[in-house]
Amino acid sequence: MNKTIFILGFILIIMGCSDKKQTKPAVDETAKESDLTDSFENSFVYNESEAIWGIVIDTLTGDEELKQLKPVEKEVLTGEMMEKIVNKTWPRVQIKYLGISTDTAFISISDSEILTQQMGSAGAESFMISTVYSFTEIKGVKYVSFDFEFGDHASPGVYNRNSWDEN
């Protein structure tokens, strides 16, 4: 008899502790999912599937290495093509290709706040490096001149593939 009371008491405790909250309407869940999706899209900064060059992290050592992610035909690349590639790779940092003079490609970033203030130093450096390496794939281009408002994590100026070499 004590065993039966014990088992019944245990079952009552389990049932009493179970969560019987009323489920929220589907509309609220949809709105919540939409908010999360919008939040994710707003924070989406880098699309590796579009990138020509990118920083790859070795999963064993944790070391970062710049690698060419896609082969390109230098003879057919243009500044306009590279602008589209970079803008697809970095959807929140949109560049404008201005032209090439001698061995320098000129680009501007009219809204540079995400690059200079929101991506952090590592994100901004990844953008700068991958953009320079991508533009210097164009035949004859050795330098990339960036025109944008100076910020905490990135500075305008002329860069080449050696700009990040440690001395």
Side-chain angles (χ1 to χ4, degrees):
M1 174 106 158
N2 283 342
K3 218 180 211 183
T4 306
I5 293 174
F6 178 75
I7 292 174
L8 283 174
F10 183 74
I11 290 172
L12 287 173
I13 290 173
I14 298 277
M15 290 176 66
C17 293
S18 67
D19 190 39
K20 291 190 179 189
K21 291 182 182 174
Q22 195 173 20
T23 58
K24 294 182 180 181
V27 175
D28 289 345
E29 285 301 315
T30 304
K32 188 176 180 181
E33 287 177 22
S34 176
D35 290 344
L36 288 173
T37 301
D38 290 344
S39 173
F40 174 74
E41 287 175 2
N42 288 339
S43 66
F44 184 70
V45 178
Y46 178 68
N47 182 3
E48 185 178 300
S49 68
E50 298 293 333
I52 294 175
W53 285 89
I55 305 293
V56 177
I57 299 173
D58 185 318
T59 55
L60 296 176
T61 65
D63 293 339
E64 295 179 348
E65 183 180 359
L66 180 67
K67 286 195 173 189
Q68 187 169 8
L69 304 174
K70 288 183 185 175
V72 293
E73 294 181 41
K74 291 185 178 198
E75 293 76 30
V76 298
L77 281 179
T78 66
E80 292 82 4
M81 291 169 67
M82 199 54 65
E83 174 185 349
K84 288 178 184 174
I85 292 168
V86 170
N87 286 340
K88 285 181 180 178
T89 303
W90 300 92
R92 294 193 61 209
V93 182
Q94 296 294 289
I95 68 166
K96 176 71 179 143
Y97 166 71
L98 302 174
I100 294 174
S101 179
T102 315
D103 60 357
T104 306
F106 293 85
I107 63 172
S108 69
I109 305 170
S110 60
D111 183 10
S112 61
E113 185 176 348
I114 291 169
L115 172 66
T116 62
Q117 300 300 120
Q118 296 177 12
M119 290 173 59
S121 296
E125 184 176 61
S126 292
F127 169 84
M128 298 291 286
I129 292 171
S130 68
T131 301
V132 166
Y133 271 73
S134 295
F135 266 92
T136 55
E137 288 292 336
I138 299 172
K139 189 175 182 177
V141 173
K142 293 186 170 106
Y143 301 93
V144 179
S145 176
F146 289 91
D147 180 26
F148 58 85
E149 193 171 322
F150 176 87
D152 292 340
H153 303 292
S155 301
V158 179
Y159 296 85
N160 65 34
R161 289 186 175 201
N162 298 320
S163 295
W164 293 272
D165 290 349
E166 294 179 23
N167 295 330

